[in-house]
């Protein structure tokens, strides 16, 4: 039993209130702590609250609001801090749940499907560093904070299929804690519940008709997210050089598409390491079908929080 899951998700919390609870605990608890939330905006909200309240603690934000190049650099930074025994606090989305070798004594996780929760638990006391004392995994249900102190929908909505979360809540039941030794049993009950939710008769009928498109449309576990825009972040002279090489290829009227692709392939990997995907509503007016340039500045892309917004246009006054 390396970990113990503490279930706080029965009482939903606004993100702002969740941040306040974290601050109360972390003020006296100097253990390294991993905080996993479901949305990029929540990462920034929690990160900024902790940064203001705990100025002396090493604090790192991590999400897809960072370019792949910056994400890898921050993962290496976190690993160095953990090896040195620093009380680092990491605020991140689900991207650390697979393929990242982190081990924290304390993990906080926003509500999601049970398999994701168990993946998060795998980032807690991963190598048994805590000895006989189980690592702590705290499960919460966070809600969108709105102006004026009101709350909106649960943070997991528009990220996970509602049926998966419903089965998770049913599987966990009313228990306050679950030890790691029970995770296999919980997983078996969870996947059995997921199978029971499937409309197998309807699937068989569609298969008999050969309606594969209907099956794909009606039984997709993860719905398509909102449209996104690609932004190439220019922060260094090397970034600018890559961007200018890209534009020279795109703007050359004498290059056929195949030749453009061949020339771009020479630096394609380095180019996309500097690209971040943002929601179209946050980048209105930009071309969704092309890569757009974004010059790094405190108001657009910051090393601590990643993408923050598009540059503000100068105001115009008409008399």
């Amino acid at each position: 039993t390396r970990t113990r899951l503490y279930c706080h998700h029965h009482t939903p919390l606004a993100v702002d209130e969740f941040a306040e609870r974290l601050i109360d605990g972390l003020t006296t608890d100097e253990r390294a702590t991993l905080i996993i939330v479901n949305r990029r905006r929540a990462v920034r909200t929690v990160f900024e609250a902790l940064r203001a309240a705990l100025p002396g603690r090493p604090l790192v934000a991590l999400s897809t609001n960072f370019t792949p190049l910056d994400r890898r650099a921050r993962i290496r930074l976190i690993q160095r801090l953990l090896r040195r025994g620093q009380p680092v606090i990491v605020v991140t989305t689900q991207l650390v749940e697979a393929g990242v070798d982190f081990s924290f004594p304390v993990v906080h996780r926003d509500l999601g499907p049970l398999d994701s929760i168990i993946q998060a638990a795998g980032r807690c006391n991963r190598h048994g560093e805590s000895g006989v004392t189980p690592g702590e995994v705290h499960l919460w249900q966070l809600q969108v904070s709105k102006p004026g102190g009101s709350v909106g929908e649960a943070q997991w909505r528009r990220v996970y299929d509602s049926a998966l979360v419903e089965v998770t809540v049913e599987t966990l039941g009313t228990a306050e804690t679950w030890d790691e030794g029970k995770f296999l049993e919980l997983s078996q009950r969870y996947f059995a519940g997921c199978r029971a939710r499937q409309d197998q008769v309807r699937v068989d009928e569609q298969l008999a008709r050969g309606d594969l498109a209907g099956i794909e449309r009606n039984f997709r576990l993860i719905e398509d997210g909102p449209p996104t825009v690609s932004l190439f972040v220019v922060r260094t002279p090397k970034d600018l050089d890559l961007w200018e090489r890209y534009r020279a290829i795109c703007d050359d009227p004498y290059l056929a598409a195949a030749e453009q692709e061949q020339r771009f392939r020479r630096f394609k990997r380095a180019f996309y390491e500097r690209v971040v995907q943002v929601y179209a509503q946050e980048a209105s007016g930009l071309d969704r079908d092309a890569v757009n340039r974004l010059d790094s500045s405190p108001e657009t892309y910051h090393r601590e929080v990643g993408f923050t917004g598009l540059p503000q246009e100068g105001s115009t006054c008409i008399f």
Side-chain angles (χ1 to χ4, degrees):
T1 299
R2 295 169 299 177
T3 60
R4 178 170 293 143
L5 178 65
Y6 295 84
C7 300
H8 313 285
H9 64 281
H10 306 293
T11 304
L13 281 178
V15 173
D16 293 341
E17 187 178 353
F18 172 65
E20 292 175 3
R21 291 201 182 189
L22 288 174
I23 292 167
D24 290 341
L26 290 168
T27 301
T28 55
D29 187 349
E30 295 191 352
R31 292 177 294 174
T33 301
L34 177 64
I35 303 161
I36 304 174
V37 294
N38 287 327
R39 298 191 189 182
R40 292 181 286 183
R41 185 169 295 179
V43 169
R44 185 175 175 186
T45 299
V46 174
F47 175 84
E48 291 179 345
L50 295 178
R51 182 173 57 179
L54 305 169
R57 291 284 292 271
L59 181 63
V60 181
L62 190 61
S63 75
T64 52
N65 267 348
F66 292 92
T67 63
L69 192 67
D70 285 342
R71 289 204 299 270
R72 285 201 302 275
R74 300 181 83 74
I75 288 171
R76 291 194 296 270
L77 169 63
I78 295 165
Q79 290 171 333
R80 285 199 303 270
L81 292 171
L82 289 172
R83 285 196 299 269
R84 295 172 185 170
Q86 295 293 313
V88 60
I89 304 170
V90 177
V91 188
T92 179
T93 55
Q94 308 91 317
L95 64 87
V96 299
E97 290 179 352
V100 180
D101 188 11
F102 286 161
S103 183
F104 289 79
V106 181
V107 173
H108 296 268
R109 176 62 163 95
D110 192 4
L111 182 62
L114 184 64
D115 52 328
S116 294
I117 295 169
I118 293 176
Q119 283 273 50
R123 304 294 167 262
C124 180
N125 196 22
R126 188 174 178 84
H127 309 292
E129 306 93 324
S130 301
V132 297
T133 304
E136 300 175 16
V137 182
H138 298 272
L139 181 63
W140 307 86
Q141 183 171 185
L142 305 183
Q143 294 177 302
V144 176
S145 300
K146 289 188 173 183
S150 61
V151 295
E153 65 181 1
Q155 290 273 339
W156 58 263
R157 295 193 181 277
R158 293 187 286 170
V159 178
Y160 298 113
D161 187 276
S162 59
L164 300 181
V165 177
E166 289 168 3
V167 174
T168 297
V169 173
E170 292 172 3
T171 302
L172 293 175
T174 59
E176 295 184 356
T177 62
W178 289 96
D179 285 338
E180 183 183 13
K182 293 290 186 180
F183 286 180
L184 176 59
E185 177 188 338
L186 287 173
S187 297
Q188 292 169 337
R189 287 164 48 191
Y190 166 73
F191 285 111
C194 290
R195 286 192 294 270
R197 293 290 181 105
Q198 293 176 349
D199 188 352
Q200 190 60 48
V201 174
R202 187 177 172 194
V203 172
D204 290 341
E205 291 175 352
Q206 287 180 300
L207 283 173
R209 296 197 306 268
D211 185 11
L212 301 182
I215 294 174
E216 180 184 9
R217 182 175 60 254
N218 296 321
F219 295 91
R220 187 175 300 157
L221 289 180
I222 301 177
E223 298 180 359
D224 293 333
T228 60
V229 173
S230 299
L231 300 177
F232 181 91
V233 179
V234 177
R235 187 172 60 244
T236 68
K238 183 176 181 180
D239 301 338
L240 181 59
D241 177 65
L242 287 169
W243 174 256
E244 289 177 345
R245 290 171 64 187
Y246 169 75
R247 288 311 318 170
I249 293 173
C250 295
D251 296 338
D252 191 335
Y254 299 104
L255 290 179
E259 191 172 358
Q260 285 182 332
E261 175 60 28
Q262 182 180 8
R263 293 192 181 188
F264 180 49
R265 193 180 300 125
R266 299 169 187 169
F267 60 96
K268 183 175 182 179
R269 180 175 179 180
F271 181 87
Y272 279 109
E273 283 184 336
R274 293 157 172 83
V275 172
V276 62
Q277 300 285 338
V278 303
Y279 294 128
Q281 64 185 20
E282 299 178 274
S284 58
L286 297 183
D287 188 351
R288 297 184 187 178
D289 299 321
V291 180
N292 302 267
R293 172 174 168 173
L294 180 71
D295 292 323
S296 176
S297 72
E299 69 172 5
T300 60
Y301 185 94
H302 196 274
R303 289 294 296 271
E304 286 192 334
V305 294
F307 174 76
T308 55
L310 296 181
Q312 296 295 321
E313 297 181 358
S315 59
T316 301
C317 184
I318 300 176
F319 291 93

